[in-house]
Every structure is written in structure tokens, then in C-alpha cells.
Amino acid sequence: MIEIAAVAGALVVAGGAALFVRFPCTMVPALLVVAPLRLPLATNPANPLLFEFVGGGALGRLYPLYVVLVPAVIATIWRMARRRSFRRIPAEIAVPGAVLLGLACLSLLWSADPPGTVNALIFFWLPFALLFGVVSQSPISPRLTRTLGVIVVASASVFAVIGIWEAISHRLIFYTPALAIVNAHGPLFRVTAVFQDPSHLGRYLVLAIAVIFVALWLSRLKVAAGAALVVLLAAGLYVSYSQSSMVSMVVVLLALAIVAGDQASRRVAIVVCVVIALAGVGGLIYGATTGRLADFTRQRSRLAIDTTQVALAHPLGGVGLGAQAVVTRAEQNPGENVDRNASHTTPATVAAELGVFGLLAYLALLVGLARALKRVRPRDEALALGLGAGLLLLVVHSLFYGGFFDNPIVWGAMGLTAGAGALARPRPEPEAGVS
């Protein structure tokens, strides 16, 4: 049985690699299709080459993504070897990205939770670094931009329909045990569609909404069709009851209005931003003065403060990749469940796990991505605005929910930004001949 599974796997990898070598423009779309999927599969304890279905609504790893990623990596290496060249990633992205990845790997030497660090590296950071490399070296064209937009909107529409069906039937396909308890005893019934958590569903639906608004701003989509799609996606977002996704949607749409809208739209968006900011500050002040800040932020403030305390206690190297929750429980909340100590704020998590240098590299990476997108916009406005809106959504969402560097869509978007930024980089002028 092991031999048969190994041969079948080798044939799948070889066939996929041959397909991607012949049609390299299909790699990024294929990776995007499988990126959100965490099928209910797990490796068989008796035979790691075999998989088995997991019951109880649980989800497996990103196995569909890994299956597509392996032949994509082989095809990319083959194409680069044949061309004897590669696309040079802009230093503003490559340097902080390399520092982050290097610190993540080195943190295994001092990690407070070595198994957690190994798990994060093997299943997320290292495969996603390969994903970044594949996407950054893939062909980039306006056709690819349209294809990726269609995939995001079409898949999100399917997810929204599934979520609405779950809300009507009160039956979830995938879920965590904690969500099952909340839905059984709480006032709301939150849906997940093909995701494990309602916030993951909400985040993906908002990504599609942002893509639709970019298409509408650029007159690439009819208003009637766009409005119908937004209504469907908004309905799916509503039944997820993901507040972090709804806040992220407001931020992204206001940013799009400021960046891509006319003068009147920008003025309205700026006024709305000021009103929202004042309301948010007022709410935080009220929560702090009344001692109800944790309730006001649904415990997010407590998690952020506890994680910040860990970062301040381990300022240089941090506690190691993936070890934040374990250390927070040990130092801040002994005896409490580890999952309830997981930070929901990515900057605080990075500072706690990778130290001050990791935090600086993370911030520098965000600045580098923004600068690269600014260069891409004159070349391909739809791609630049779509990537900018997507990355902004993922960053804002990660401030309230976390889940930034363990999301393959983040790494794919960064890779596409790096590749497009390399193409948009001005070429040096040839030196004039000496007469």
C-alpha cells in the first residue's frame, strides 16, 4: 500500500509539474483556488503517506495547497534553469522578508515551545516561503489580474451561499468545538461555510467585496452585476457575525474611496474616517474609565496587553515562533487554556515571538509592499488597487483577529506584489558612448 501511494503521489507531482511548465500562467490561479481550503483530512498515524477523513466537523491541514505547491515549485525551478535567469525581488521586500524568515527559523534555538515552532515552520512559514517564490516568478499580465479577480469573487459567492444555507438549516459543515458550544447556547448562530472559523469566512468574503469595488471604480464591471454580488456576499458576511471582518471592510472601502475616487468621494471618505476614529477613541476611553475595556473589545484588549507584557519581558529574541500562547499562559494566566491566550493582534504576536528586530522587519515589510504597489499602479492600476485593497484588508483584520503569516493568501499577495514590483522597477539607462 505504501508503494502504491508513493507511486501515485509521484505521478501526480510529475503530471502537475509538466502542466505548469507547459502552461506557467495557470500556476497562480491554481494556487489561489486551493489556498482557502482546509479539507477534513489528516495523516494516518500508521502510515503518514495515507490520509483519512476527520469527523466532528474538524479540519485538516492545507493539504490541497501543498499538493499544488510541490509541482509548482518544481516547474518554477525548471523554468528558471532553462532561462538561466530569475526575477529580482525588490530589496524593500526581499530584505525584511528574509530577516523575518531567518528569525523565525533561528528562534527554534531559544523557543519556549519547540514543538510549536517546528509545527509553524513545517506547515506554514517554509511552505509559504516557497509559495511566495513561485508567485513572484510567475508570469504577470492583465489577463492574470482578471482571472484572479474572477476566482476570488466566484469562490466567495459559493462560500456565501453555503454560509446562508448553514444559517437557515442551523447545520455547520466545519467548526471548532468552542464554536459549537457558542452556537448551542448563545444568542447568535455563526456560520463558517468551508472554513473553521466565522472570521475566516468573513475575511474571505470581504476580500471579494474589495475586488468588486475595485472593478466598479475602474469601470471593469457593470453596476447592476456588482451590486447583486455585493448583496450576496454581504448576506454571507452578516450571518458570520464577524465584527473584525466588518471593521476591515469599512476601512478598505474608505481607503479605496480616498485612493481611487474623485475629489468629492475623497472628502466624504475623509470625514467618515474622522468620525469613526473619534467614535473609536471615545469608546476606548469609556471602556478604560469604566473598567469595561475588555468587554468593550470582546477580550481583545486583554489579549493584546498580555502579549505586550510577554514582548517586553523578552525584547531581543522573543519567545520563539508559535510559542506566544504558551508563554502568555505561563507568565500571565497560569492554569488557563492555551487557546484562550493566543494573541489576536499580529504586531504584538511578532514582537512577542521574534523580538524587536522581528517587529521592525515586519513593519519594514509592510512599508516595502506599499512602495512596490505605488510603482505598479501606473503599469497595471487594477492589479495595484486589488493587491493594495487585499493586503490592507489582511493587515487590518490581523489587528483584531491575528492569522496573518499563517494565511497562504497573504504570502501569495506579497509574492505577486514583489513580482509586479520587480517588473515595474525602472531599468537603468544605457551609458552613452564616448566619442
Side-chain angles (χ1 to χ4, degrees), residues 107-195:
S107 70
L108 182 60
L109 298 176
W110 59 81
S111 174
D113 181 21
T117 302
V118 171
N119 182 77
L121 287 173
I122 292 178
F123 290 106
F124 299 106
W125 281 69
L126 296 180
F128 293 172
L130 293 175
L131 172 65
F132 174 92
V134 167
V135 175
S136 67
Q137 300 299 320
S138 298
I140 299 175
S141 65
R143 176 178 294 182
L144 175 66
T145 303
R146 292 192 297 270
T147 301
L148 297 181
V150 169
I151 290 173
V152 169
V153 174
S155 58
S157 299
V158 174
F159 300 156
V161 171
I162 296 174
I164 294 170
W165 172 82
E166 289 179 333
I168 295 173
S169 64
H170 274 217
R171 294 179 59 186
L172 298 183
I173 301 175
F174 303 132
Y175 51 87
T176 61
L179 179 61
I181 295 174
V182 170
N183 281 349
H185 303 285
L188 302 175
F189 186 88
R190 305 184 66 188
V191 304
T192 59
V194 301
F195 299 87

Side-chain angles (χ1 to χ4, degrees), residues 35 42 100 114 152-153 187 215 223 243 245 278 317 339 357 369 376 393 414 433:
L100 266 176
V152 169
V153 174
V223 175
Q243 296 177 348
S245 300
L278 292 175
D339 293 337
F357 298 108
L369 291 168
V376 172
L393 157 67
M414 292 194 301

Side-chain angles (χ1 to χ4, degrees), residues 14 38 69 127 220 229 256 272 285 293 304 344 353 366 426 428 434:
R38 294 174 183 257
L69 181 58
R220 306 288 179 86
L229 289 169
L256 280 174
V272 173
I285 294 174
L293 182 60
H344 282 58
E353 295 185 348
L366 297 183
V434 180

Side-chain angles (χ1 to χ4, degrees), residues 280-300:
V281 172
L284 292 175
I285 294 174
Y286 171 78
T289 54
T290 59
R292 301 179 60 186
L293 182 60
D295 294 333
F296 179 77
T297 61
R298 296 188 63 187
Q299 302 300 316
R300 296 296 195 271

Side-chain angles (χ1 to χ4, degrees), residues 90-114:
E92 59 208 4
I93 298 176
V95 172
V99 171
L100 266 176
L101 183 60
L103 286 173
C105 295
L106 289 175
S107 70
L108 182 60
L109 298 176
W110 59 81
S111 174
D113 181 21

